């Protein structure tokens, strides 16, 4: 096992009705900016619950944070922050809202010329407004980690700072009952791929991490389809297991002390940045292709994955690996997401532009061995056709 330092300070408030707990979680004297997306929280009752919980606080709101939040839109929130002297943020929504709010938290106190510099140029984030969140769509794990992704002019880029970890996160499975099938499928697949990118590398004898990761993969495979099935889609136990799995998939625990491979994410970001494809749907397209092209580098872990997740023990190694990849694709299909570029109307003609963007963004040595060069990324995209 590799040396590691692990700390996660986000307080998790899990369970039905926990939105009321934000009354005590946010200091009474705080001036709060509530951030959210397109307004679905007003239709499903979440907004009313938040308003009731903040009835003794001074609070304002900023709406319209879109999926794959954009720099230009997020910068508009700074006007409200300065006008009202806001000193606390509450994100109410899915991963995009939480990511966007992390950007706002850092941008509000950024002392440089342009907050984009702490993303594109890696300028340090020295201070940020405190924030909490009410999660409505389990997927990204952003509710209890330090990372986020923001898009500007077609460039979707990640950034991270310990100062951006939410102080608390409300996880109420009941609020996910109003999600569409598309949102459910996307969320499950996003969490699944997060887990895979910290698991499917090479062994360092991190048995605890491996078995934690495998438990998350098995849970998502078991519960994901139930959330889409008519007879079980309103089962709060199903929704709760998915919600907790998505949080655990990217809160730092399963990635501590083991190598990680985020090449799927980096390649997939270019698909979203260029074509606006849902984040999870880019992941479901790219991951199987990564598994195929990087098969030799990942052979031992692929065999472990085949045995422990899909119970594949018969046949030679290549047969088991191939079958594990096929079953992964079948799971993605069951979650109603694409597994090929052709499924989203992209062809080989688009690959050159994607490779150019990867190179422009410095994504030229990806993977657990830094061996995924632009040429290898091209092979992966060709395999995804």
């Amino acid at each position: 096992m590799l040396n590691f330092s692990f700390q996660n300070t986000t307080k998790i408030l899990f369970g039905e009705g926990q939105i009321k707990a934000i009354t005590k979680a946010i200091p009474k004297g705080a001036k709060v900016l509530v951030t959210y997306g397109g307004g679905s929280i007003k239709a499903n009752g979440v907004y009313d619950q938040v308003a009731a919980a903040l009835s003794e606080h001074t609070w304002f709101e900023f709406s319209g944070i879109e999926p794959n939040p954009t720099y230009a839109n997020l910068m508009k929130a700074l006007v409200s922050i300065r006008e009202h002297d806001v000193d606390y943020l509450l994100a109410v929504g899915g991963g995009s809202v939480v990511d966007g709010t992390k950007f706002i938290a850092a941008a509000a106190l950024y002392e440089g010329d342009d907050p984009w510099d702490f993303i594109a140029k890696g300028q340090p984030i020295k201070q940020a407004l405190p924030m909490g969140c009410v999660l409505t769509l389990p997927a990204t794990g952003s509710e209890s980690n330090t990372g986020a992704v923001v898009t500007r002019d077609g460039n979707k880029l990640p950034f991270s700072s310990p100062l951006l970890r939410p102080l608390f996160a409300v996880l109420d499975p009941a609020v996910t009952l109003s999600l569409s099938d598309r949102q459910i499928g996307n969320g499950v697949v996003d969490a699944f791929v997060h887990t895979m990118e910290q698991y499917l590398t090479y062994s360092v004898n991190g048995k605890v991490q491996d078995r934690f990761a495998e438990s998350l993969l098995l849970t998502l495979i078991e519960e994901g389809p139930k959330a889409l099935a008519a007879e079980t889609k309103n089962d709060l136990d199903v929704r709760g297991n998915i919600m907790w799995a998505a949080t655990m998939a990217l809160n730092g625990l399963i990635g501590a002390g083991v190598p990680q491979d985020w090449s799927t994410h980096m390649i997939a970001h270019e698909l979203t940045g260029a074509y606006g494809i849902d984040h999870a749907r880019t992941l479901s397209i790219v991951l199987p292709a990564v598994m195929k092209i990087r098969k030799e580098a990942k052979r031992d872990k692929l065999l472990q994955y085949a045995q422990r997740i899909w119970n594949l023990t018969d046949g030679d190694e290549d047969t088991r690996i191939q079958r594990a990849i096929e079953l992964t694709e079948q799971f993605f299909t069951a979650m109603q997401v694409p597994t090929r570029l052709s499924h989203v109307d992209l062809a080989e003609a688009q690959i050159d532009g994607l490779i150019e963007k990867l190179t422009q963004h410095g994504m030229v040595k990806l993977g657990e061995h830094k061996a995924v060069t632009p040429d290898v990324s091209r092979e992966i995209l060709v395999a995804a056709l």
Side-chain angles (χ1 to χ4, degrees), residues 89 126 137 203 209 258 297 353:
L89 303 178
K126 297 180 180 179
L137 198 169
S203 178
Q209 295 92 325
V258 297

Side-chain angles (χ1 to χ4, degrees), residues 27-33 54-60 84 86-88:
K28 279 291 190 293
K31 293 183 178 180
V32 184
L33 183 67
L54 292 176
S55 61
E56 298 179 9
H57 289 77
T58 299
W59 64 283
F60 312 92
H84 301 296
V86 166
D87 56 13
Y88 204 104

Side-chain angles (χ1 to χ4, degrees), residues 112-134:
D113 295 330
D114 184 352
W116 186 248
D117 288 346
F118 65 71
I119 301 177
K121 297 181 181 179
Q123 294 295 324
I125 296 173
K126 297 180 180 179
Q127 52 187 339
L129 292 176
M131 65 173 284
C133 59
V134 176

Side-chain angles (χ1 to χ4, degrees), residues 199-280:
Y199 170 77
L200 196 68
T201 56
Y202 58 88
S203 178
V204 291
N205 203 25
K207 292 184 176 181
V208 173
Q209 295 92 325
D210 277 4
R211 290 192 167 102
F212 265 128
E214 288 157 0
S215 74
L216 297 177
L217 296 173
L218 289 168
T219 297
L220 292 166
I221 290 168
E222 292 169 3
E223 303 297 283
K226 293 179 187 176
L228 295 177
E231 62 273 18
T232 48
K233 71 181 300 121
N234 292 324
D235 188 322
L236 283 182
D237 287 334
V238 169
R239 298 303 185 100
N241 278 312
I242 291 172
M243 197 169 216
W244 189 225
T247 295
M248 293 294 287
L250 201 57
N251 68 357
L253 180 66
I254 65 170
V258 297
Q260 302 180 25
D261 171 17
W262 293 97
S263 58
T264 295
H265 257 74
M266 297 305 104
I267 296 169
H269 281 170
E270 303 303 345
L271 286 167
T272 298
Y275 301 104
I277 305 166
D278 297 4
H279 174 59

